[in-house]
Amino acid sequence: MDKPRTLLRLTGADRVDFLTGLTTNGPGPEGSLTYAALLTPQGKYIADFFLLVRADDIVIDVATEVAATLAQRLSMYKLRADVQISESDLSLSRGTGPAPDGALADPRHPDLGWRLYSDQSGDDGTDWTALRVANCIPETGIELTPDTFILETGFERLKGVDFKKGCYVGQEVTARMKHKTELRKGLVSVDVDGPADTGTEITRDGKPVGTLLSRSGDKAIAYLRFDRAEGELQAGDATVRKTS
């Protein structure tokens, strides 16, 4: 089975400044774990990831499905910067039970437990989909796609964007959405009664209002137009309501 996460390694004297100028949330102090994204100049999603800052490198923990795209885009921006990009020899473990020595808290939400970067990989059996759905946490490839504007997926709530740091790719569009407009669409938690798969269109009175995304039991994450998504909605044969 393919690994769901890939760990990239950035070395070189310019690695911190390099990432700070590109990503929505720059690297923190040594020993820290931060959540961030790389965007297009138009402010749309390319990849989301964790940044682990160590003494001699920065480890980027990214979903394998977007890892090659991220590495390619970083290489494109490298120009003459003293930065080298390779695959790390570390492995990822994660869980929600007692944290092992050296583990770091997932910076997005307290319920998401810990992440450990070491020579061993593993998972404590947590139902991550149920946990994400319960807390409206977006996932790469489901809620986060090349059409995504990150503020619509809760990135500010998840501490994935820093509005006080300097410029980064896509910063102008993201800042405008934050300060000059009111979000009209975004992720919300919904209750679902009936069969409906991820990707099912959600309608109200026959008119499209959004899409059903990650689902766990009778709970789900949906991408909805806020002005049209009140009351009882339909997703295929299922009934959908925003969670109160």
Side-chain angles (χ1 to χ4, degrees):
M1 183 188 300
D2 292 337
K3 295 188 301 181
R5 307 291 297 183
T6 292
L7 303 183
L8 301 175
R9 180 174 185 248
L10 262 64
T11 54
D14 297 334
R15 63 188 183 276
V16 173
D17 289 342
F18 173 71
L19 285 179
T20 299
L22 291 177
T23 61
T24 61
N25 196 9
E30 184 177 331
S32 68
L33 185 67
T34 57
Y35 182 55
L38 183 68
L39 309 179
T40 68
Q42 295 75 33
K44 291 193 174 183
Y45 169 91
I46 294 174
D48 64 310
F49 40 82
F50 300 90
L51 299 175
L52 171 64
V53 180
R54 306 195 303 171
D56 299 321
D57 62 13
I58 297 174
V59 177
I60 303 179
D61 168 3
V62 61
T64 297
E65 65 186 274
V66 295
T69 299
L70 175 62
Q72 181 183 42
R73 190 60 66 101
L74 292 177
S75 296
M76 182 185 77
Y77 283 121
K78 190 174 69 167
L79 301 177
R80 296 183 179 180
D82 181 7
V83 174
Q84 295 80 47
I85 305 167
S86 60
E87 191 158 341
S88 172
D89 59 2
L90 293 173
S91 296
L92 170 68
S93 304
R94 60 178 184 161
T96 53
D101 290 344
L104 296 167
D106 189 311
R108 296 172 295 174
H109 193 284
D111 289 353
L112 293 178
W114 49 265
R115 305 176 83 86
L116 176 65
Y117 302 90
S118 67
D119 58 357
Q120 296 183 340
S121 60
D123 191 298
D124 69 352
T126 293
D127 185 339
W128 296 104
T129 299
L131 198 56
R132 286 197 310 100
V133 168
N135 294 289
C136 203
I137 308 294
E139 177 73 4
T140 307
I142 304 176
E143 288 81 19
L144 297 169
T145 74
D147 291 325
T148 296
F149 291 106
I150 59 169
L151 295 190
E152 294 183 343
T153 62
F155 249 67
E156 186 174 8
R157 170 175 59 90
L158 301 175
K159 306 177 186 67
V161 56
D162 181 358
F163 289 103
K164 296 180 180 179
K165 84 179 195 73
C167 293
Y168 55 87
V169 179
Q171 183 262 350
E172 184 177 349
V173 175
T174 306
R176 189 183 311 126
M177 292 183 72
K178 163 70 173 174
H179 298 294
K180 296 185 178 181
T181 63
E182 183 176 350
L183 292 180
R184 299 168 59 189
K185 305 175 184 177
L187 298 184
V188 298
S189 298
V190 296
D191 297 316
V192 185
D193 182 11
D197 296 328
T198 293
T200 300
E201 183 180 67
I202 299 175
T203 62
R204 181 185 181 192
D205 299 326
K207 297 180 180 179
V209 297
T211 306
L212 191 71
L213 299 170
S214 296
R215 181 175 180 180
S216 178
D218 61 357
K219 306 291 183 183
I221 300 172
Y223 179 73
L224 295 177
R225 284 193 58 161
F226 299 138
D227 60 341
R228 297 183 182 177
E230 297 302 326
E232 192 170 282
L233 311 173
Q234 289 72 45
D237 294 327
T239 299
V240 177
R241 284 183 176 274
K242 288 199 297 184
T243 302
S244 56

